[in-house]
């Protein structure tokens, strides 16, 4: 019994012995096409949200300067631009890691 458990455990050790698993891609073509379409739509939505965020932050900065108020819009702009960078690099990073 112990030998069977040890043999089964040995099958699941990949990185300890230097072997890296390489799973086969066997998803149906229609499903992968639909997933690609959804991911493309989400990427465009993320890009549009980033552009809208930059425009809204710029408008708020302009209104605050017009009123003579000091505000923390630069921090908000930094967060928006950080989100834009995250959305822009998500696709290439996932493609690099999983392709």
């Amino acid at each position: 019994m112990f030998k069977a458990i040890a043999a089964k455990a040995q099958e699941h050790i990949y990185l300890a012995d230097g072997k890296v698993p390489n799973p086969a891609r066997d998803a149906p073509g229609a499903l992968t096409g639909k997933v690609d379409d959804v991911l493309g739509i989400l990427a465009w939505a993320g890009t549009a949200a980033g552009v809208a965020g930059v425009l809204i932050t710029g408008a708020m900065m302009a209104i605050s300067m017009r009123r003579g108020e000091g505000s923390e819009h630069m921090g908000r702009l930094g967060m928006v631009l950080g989100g834009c960078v995250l959305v822009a690099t998500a696709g290439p990073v996932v493609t690099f890691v999983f392709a």
Side-chain angles (χ1 to χ4, degrees), residues 6-51:
K8 193 67 169 173
Q10 188 66 25
E11 291 176 6
H12 296 290
I13 298 174
Y14 294 112
L15 299 178
D17 61 356
K19 295 180 184 173
V20 177
N22 191 8
R25 296 176 184 252
D26 58 352
L31 178 63
T32 56
K34 290 178 182 178
V35 170
D36 286 342
D37 289 343
V38 169
L39 290 177
I41 291 169
L42 289 175
W44 277 105
T47 302
V51 169

Side-chain angles (χ1 to χ4, degrees), residues 7-96:
K8 193 67 169 173
Q10 188 66 25
E11 291 176 6
H12 296 290
I13 298 174
Y14 294 112
L15 299 178
D17 61 356
K19 295 180 184 173
V20 177
N22 191 8
R25 296 176 184 252
D26 58 352
L31 178 63
T32 56
K34 290 178 182 178
V35 170
D36 286 342
D37 289 343
V38 169
L39 290 177
I41 291 169
L42 289 175
W44 277 105
T47 302
V51 169
V54 171
L55 291 175
I56 291 170
T57 303
M60 291 177 72
M61 288 171 73
I63 292 170
S64 292
M65 288 193 67
R66 174 91 171 138
R67 291 181 182 169
E69 299 173 349
S71 60
E72 300 178 5
H73 293 295
M74 291 305 287
R76 184 177 298 162
L77 182 63
M79 289 183 2
V80 169
L81 293 176
C84 290
V85 168
L86 183 65
V87 168
T89 59
V93 167
V94 170
T95 301
F96 174 75

